[in-house]
Amino acid sequence: MPEPTAPRSFWAVARQPRVVGLLVLFLLAAFVCARLGVWQLDRAQQRAELAAQQEAAELEAAGPEGVGVLLPPQSTFPGELVGRQAWVEGEYDADGQLLVEGRALDGRVGYLVLTPLRVTDDGTQGASWAELSGAPVLPVVRGWVATPEQGPALEPPAGVVRVTGYLQASEAAGQGGSAPGLTDSVSTGALVNEWGGPIYSGYLVLRSSDPDQPPAADGGPAQLPRPTIEGGTGLNLQNLFYALQWWVFGGFAVLLWVRLVRDEAAGVRRHGRRESSGIAGLPGD
């Protein structure tokens, strides 16, 4: 039986040309695995974006539904209603209008125009609030402005209006506005104290109005995009799992090289193999 090889230092083995060549080979394999993982991650993101686009197209094709049919007043807001088209009729309360500060549109920070709408029809002919204290209030974000000046162009249409828009969930209550007429959140819990109730647990991001409000070109609010759940529909889990697999394979390639060098440094040989100056388990020079 051959005598066991005397242990050598890890770095002494690692500097051998054959071992360095294996390191280059394993690093190349790890790099390929890392790139494949990034590719799978990109695929996951692309599929998530495509799913979000398809969802938005389906919601657009479905058309608007009465707010009260989707979300009765004082009921919990389901997450799947974010971005859902809805319509409602009522009268704006111009005296209760607020500007929500610190909101961005196209890279510019400005204000949301938030106006209470006293509802006269939410698609249920009043059945949704029949057992409540009166007609409900719906917060309507009529658009975005760059400055806090509330001129005539920001006044809401008078009389009964029919508005169509996208539903969005109420925000958490903030600290309040920095000045009268300003607020820092669209929180129905806070707004009910100012506007009275009953109130819906979400708000409407305006898409169209009949009669129309002044356009942005004339100083009116600029239209906002359809709201989405933060993060979209999330990464495609299958592609994300594949990406993690490739990264694990890449890490395993490097760890395999380390294991082989450690075995060689410790003088490990398979039973019956001749002593070799090469890496453990592989032919020598």
Side-chain angles (χ1 to χ4, degrees):
M1 177 182 294
E3 296 181 0
T5 305
R8 289 178 289 168
S9 72
F10 179 91
W11 296 113
V13 176
R15 289 196 298 269
Q16 294 180 98
R18 184 181 299 277
V19 179
V20 172
L22 285 173
L23 175 61
V24 172
L25 180 62
F26 286 160
L27 287 178
L28 180 60
F31 174 77
V32 172
C33 290
R35 291 296 302 168
L36 287 172
V38 172
W39 176 75
Q40 286 288 354
L41 195 63
D42 289 340
R43 286 276 297 166
Q45 184 65 44
Q46 292 170 3
R47 291 181 68 173
E49 292 175 354
L50 179 60
Q53 293 172 0
Q54 291 175 338
E55 180 185 0
E58 291 172 359
L59 291 175
E60 291 290 333
E65 181 64 88
V67 168
V69 176
L70 299 172
L71 181 71
Q74 313 229 134
S75 64
T76 303
F77 190 101
E80 63 268 18
L81 286 185
V82 172
R84 181 71 163 85
Q85 284 193 89
W87 66 267
V88 66
E89 293 183 358
E91 294 187 37
Y92 284 119
D93 179 5
D95 294 335
Q97 181 164 285
L98 299 169
L99 296 182
V100 186
E101 53 192 347
R103 301 306 172 99
L105 178 66
D106 298 332
R108 301 172 62 197
V109 178
Y111 305 81
L112 301 180
V113 181
L114 177 64
T115 312
L117 181 78
R118 183 63 67 174
V119 174
T120 57
D121 185 11
D122 63 358
T124 67
Q125 289 77 47
S128 68
W129 69 82
E131 298 181 0
L132 301 178
S133 58
V137 175
L138 176 68
V140 178
V141 173
R142 297 196 296 116
W144 179 92
V145 291
T147 62
E149 289 84 13
Q150 295 201 42
L154 290 192
E155 294 181 1
V160 176
V161 295
R162 181 185 176 95
V163 296
T164 301
Y166 303 105
L167 288 172
Q168 177 61 296
S170 171
E171 301 173 356
Q175 301 299 316
S178 60
L182 300 180
T183 184
D184 61 351
S185 66
V186 188
S187 169
T188 57
L191 292 171
V192 70
N193 296 325
E194 186 165 348
W195 294 346
I199 196 169
Y200 296 84
S201 60
Y203 61 94
L204 196 71
V205 178
L206 186 70
R207 181 184 180 190
S208 63
S209 172
D210 182 20
D212 290 334
Q213 61 183 18
D218 296 335
Q223 191 171 44
L224 293 165
R226 172 182 175 266
T228 57
I229 298 176
E230 188 174 351
T233 57
L235 294 177
N236 180 272
L237 293 180
Q238 184 181 34
N239 291 99
L240 182 59
F241 179 72
Y242 289 155
L244 292 175
Q245 279 187 319
W246 281 116
W247 291 332
V248 170
F249 292 157
F252 179 76
V254 176
L255 292 176
L256 178 61
W257 179 85
V258 173
R259 174 62 185 274
L260 292 174
V261 175
R262 288 181 60 188
D263 289 350
E264 174 68 15
V268 174
R269 292 292 182 272
R270 293 183 179 177
H271 182 70
R273 291 290 183 92
R274 64 181 178 84
E275 184 175 347
S276 168
S277 60
I279 198 161
L282 297 176
D285 294 328

